[in-house]
Amino acid sequence: MNFKWNIDELSELQQKQATELSEKLNMSAVLTSQLVKHGITTESGAKRFFRPQLSDLINPFLMKDMDLAVDRLNDAIGHKERILVYGDYDVDGCTAVALVYKFLQQFYSNIDYYIPDRYDEGYGVSKKGIDYAKQQGVSLIIILDCGIKAHEAIEYAKSIGIDFIVCDHHMPDETLPPAYAILNPKRTDDTYPFKHLCGCGVGFKFMQAFAKNNGIPFSKLISLLDLCAISIAADLVEVTDENRILAYHGLKMLNQTPSLGVRAIIDICGLSDREITMSDIMFKIGPRLNASGRMENGRLSVDLLVQKDYTAAITMAKHIDEYNDQRREVDKMMTVEANHIVEKIEKQQHPQCIVICDENWAKGVIGIVAARLTEMYFRPTIVLTRDGQFACGSARSVSGFDIYAAIKSCRDILINFGGHTYACGMTIRWEDVDKFRERFQQYVKDHISEQHTEPTIHVDSVIDFSTINSRLYHDLKRFSPFGPGNAKPVFATRGVYDFGTSKVVGRNQEHIKLELVDSKSPTVMNGIAFGQAQSARYIKSRRSFDIAYTIEENVYKRGTVQLQIEDIHFSE
């Protein structure tokens, strides 16, 4: 894929601000320019950014319905009611359930948790789950990472004497379900100043409010922040403001004193001897915690996260790792099949979005396949599979295009839908798939622009290799945790050459291990270009080329850096 490079130039004023900050902070202007782009122009602002403080977390009672939620929880505990903590089967839902359950269990024993079965019950609140709660004598359900659209289910629960406290972060409808309290910063009537909490984050704010109301020291919550960091990274919410504080301190917990269940996952992933980053969560920890819900039942992930015995935790982590291996095989097979379908469509037409369906695909993996196709073709993508009389779909979008709005425009033929700007799920009648595809494609055609579907890399600065040293990398790490809203800076260097020792590597010879020089420095830079072996012939010809890359630690040579090549532009 040929990427267009958008180089983020500073204005004259921003250049001046970056230079002034560079002098005050004793930091390269290459990096202080990043602060300026974040709107940070003062020394005190930079220090707050680099050292996020838990004391700067927002007052949880600023969230709509928080007082109602805390009062209802206090009443339940005071009257010894049975409480059920209910959550979605993905990483965000499982970590949220584990966090709320673990915190409340310290003070109250008449509590249990429930994760619906993806294949038997589907997404969100199920009648089966409510009936289970009734059989167990539950009168209060705290639901996390779902529930904001569960009108009928919550009405049913209300009719049989069960109250709901909804803790969600997905887009609400115009009408809210009849829950006792609804905590969701995306409510149109909510003035909570930060709108981008994940489901686990909303659960944390609920527990923060409960602790504050009951005189429980905030320190009792700190040990749960590893779950917040996992959720923030895996759910791809913005790593800004309150999420940055939670992720920063959550990563500290992950690296210093993670809970036993998280420690077991870390050990199974092979991460125990290195500093864990948001990227490690996204690509190693998160997929494993997701795997049980994709292949079997997400409850196993919660069982692991609340486990108090390390031996038992390791056994559970190994089971989850096996599920992840199975998931990878299914994912690989489905992606190949899906790609063949898209290639056939491409020969006949070049649609501005992708909507494909196969009744034999695994429901738990279609989201991964949709994400892969979006990356491959850089178009909004929906992948559907059959579930009895219905089709279940998962949607992913490209930067700048609101796929939630596109799906919402078809709501009259949808049984259910929900999600975010860039990721959604939906259920429709099997016989309506073609009608939905036609309507969705028309909406995309009317609203998408060429800019949305043009593969683009945002380059923060063009630098020479002489700029890159251990000091720069040390200062760059201070910008972490990285994620949406605080992306790892991408740099570019022009006119680089193979030092003569670059080579193709990988099991299938698909990557290039690079040793490069530029014309302005004697420094030889190591780099890795994943999946770009097709460029090897040109590189080995010793002609010059341009690279866009991030700066990473070389895990095989501690204390040294290497370039992770995002894209290569050959000289004209």
Side-chain angles (χ1 to χ4, degrees), residues 522-540:
T523 305
V524 179
M525 290 302 307
N526 292 307
I528 184 75
F530 293 112
Q532 299 187 59
Q534 72 277 5
S535 300
R537 183 185 294 273
Y538 184 98
I539 290 169
K540 295 299 288 182

Side-chain angles (χ1 to χ4, degrees), residues 205-278:
K205 298 305 295 185
F206 183 20
M207 293 302 97
Q208 183 189 2
F210 174 78
K212 187 173 184 178
N213 181 261
N214 286 278
I216 300 168
F218 181 84
S219 58
K220 291 278 189 181
L221 287 158
I222 293 176
S223 64
L224 301 168
L225 288 172
D226 56 351
L227 298 173
C228 285
I230 291 170
S231 182
I232 288 167
D235 218 50
L236 295 174
V237 292
E238 287 194 9
V239 189
T240 58
D241 300 319
E242 193 159 42
N243 278 345
R244 179 174 172 80
I245 298 171
L246 295 172
Y248 178 89
H249 290 278
L251 280 173
K252 271 190 174 182
M253 293 300 304
L254 269 175
N255 283 289
Q256 294 172 9
T257 53
S259 61
L260 287 180
V262 174
R263 164 55 61 193
I265 281 284
I266 289 170
D267 291 344
I268 288 296
C269 291
L271 295 172
S272 53
D273 61 342
R274 51 180 284 191
E275 182 181 0
I276 297 167
T277 66
M278 298 290 270

Side-chain angles (χ1 to χ4, degrees), residues 45-264:
K47 287 178 178 176
R48 281 197 304 275
F49 179 78
F50 289 135
R51 300 191 195 100
Q53 299 296 312
L54 289 168
S55 58
D56 288 334
L57 288 172
I58 299 165
N59 179 358
F61 284 100
L62 293 179
M63 193 177 294
K64 184 79 172 176
D65 277 7
M66 187 62 81
D67 53 345
L68 293 176
V70 170
D71 286 347
R72 182 66 187 89
L73 179 54
N74 283 335
D75 285 346
I77 292 173
H79 292 98
K80 296 183 170 51
E81 296 178 50
R82 186 147 180 82
I83 300 170
L84 187 68
V85 185
Y86 188 127
D88 188 23
Y89 36 63
D90 69 358
V91 176
D92 192 15
C94 289
T95 53
V97 167
L99 185 149
V100 171
Y101 177 79
K102 285 176 73 173
F103 184 71
L104 291 180
Q105 197 190 35
Q106 297 175 81
F107 317 103
Y108 189 65
S109 60
N110 196 12
I111 185 170
D112 197 3
Y113 55 87
Y114 186 90
I115 301 292
D117 186 288
R118 184 192 294 262
Y119 295 92
D120 183 37
E121 299 170 73
Y123 172 78
V125 189
S126 71
K127 184 175 182 295
K128 180 179 178 180
I130 295 171
D131 289 340
Y132 168 83
K134 186 65 177 177
Q135 291 164 12
Q136 297 298 311
V138 168
S139 54
L140 175 63
I141 293 177
I142 300 170
I143 188 160
L144 297 132
D145 194 35
C146 53
I148 196 63
K149 294 192 173 188
H151 297 265
E152 292 182 12
I154 292 177
E155 186 66 62
Y156 169 65
K158 192 176 179 181
S159 73
I160 59 173
I162 299 175
D163 285 336
F164 263 80
I165 295 174
V166 174
C167 304
D168 205 350
H169 69 124
H170 296 97
M171 293 297 293
D173 282 335
E174 289 77 9
T175 303
L176 297 174
Y180 192 93
I182 297 175
L183 307 178
N184 186 333
K186 290 191 177 75
R187 285 178 59 165
T188 56
D189 60 347
D190 196 334
T191 57
Y192 191 75
F194 185 65
K195 302 295 182 184
H196 304 292
L197 292 168
C198 57
C200 188
V202 177
F204 179 86
K205 298 305 295 185
F206 183 20
M207 293 302 97
Q208 183 189 2
F210 174 78
K212 187 173 184 178
N213 181 261
N214 286 278
I216 300 168
F218 181 84
S219 58
K220 291 278 189 181
L221 287 158
I222 293 176
S223 64
L224 301 168
L225 288 172
D226 56 351
L227 298 173
C228 285
I230 291 170
S231 182
I232 288 167
D235 218 50
L236 295 174
V237 292
E238 287 194 9
V239 189
T240 58
D241 300 319
E242 193 159 42
N243 278 345
R244 179 174 172 80
I245 298 171
L246 295 172
Y248 178 89
H249 290 278
L251 280 173
K252 271 190 174 182
M253 293 300 304
L254 269 175
N255 283 289
Q256 294 172 9
T257 53
S259 61
L260 287 180
V262 174
R263 164 55 61 193

Side-chain angles (χ1 to χ4, degrees), residues 226-354:
D226 56 351
L227 298 173
C228 285
I230 291 170
S231 182
I232 288 167
D235 218 50
L236 295 174
V237 292
E238 287 194 9
V239 189
T240 58
D241 300 319
E242 193 159 42
N243 278 345
R244 179 174 172 80
I245 298 171
L246 295 172
Y248 178 89
H249 290 278
L251 280 173
K252 271 190 174 182
M253 293 300 304
L254 269 175
N255 283 289
Q256 294 172 9
T257 53
S259 61
L260 287 180
V262 174
R263 164 55 61 193
I265 281 284
I266 289 170
D267 291 344
I268 288 296
C269 291
L271 295 172
S272 53
D273 61 342
R274 51 180 284 191
E275 182 181 0
I276 297 167
T277 66
M278 298 290 270
S279 185
D280 292 322
I281 296 171
M282 288 171 58
F283 296 110
K284 294 194 173 184
I285 297 173
R288 283 168 171 81
L289 289 175
N290 250 334
S292 64
R294 293 190 186 282
M295 306 307 296
E296 192 68 32
N297 188 293
R299 185 180 174 99
L300 180 58
S301 290
V302 182
D303 290 344
L304 170 63
L305 293 173
V306 303
Q307 182 55 240
K308 297 176 181 178
D309 178 78
Y310 182 73
T311 303
I314 278 290
T315 301
M316 292 177 182
K318 287 177 179 176
H319 283 313
I320 282 177
D321 202 43
E322 290 168 5
Y323 284 136
N324 193 50
D325 289 340
Q326 294 171 25
R327 187 272 307 164
R328 275 197 290 238
E329 288 302 312
V330 174
D331 160 20
K332 184 177 178 181
M333 177 190 70
M334 284 173 53
T335 300
V336 169
E337 292 175 358
N339 197 32
H340 284 159
I341 295 172
V342 176
E343 286 175 347
K344 287 179 183 177
I345 295 171
E346 290 287 298
K347 289 178 182 177
Q348 301 168 9
Q349 52 183 307
H350 191 70
Q352 290 158 306
C353 61
I354 296 168

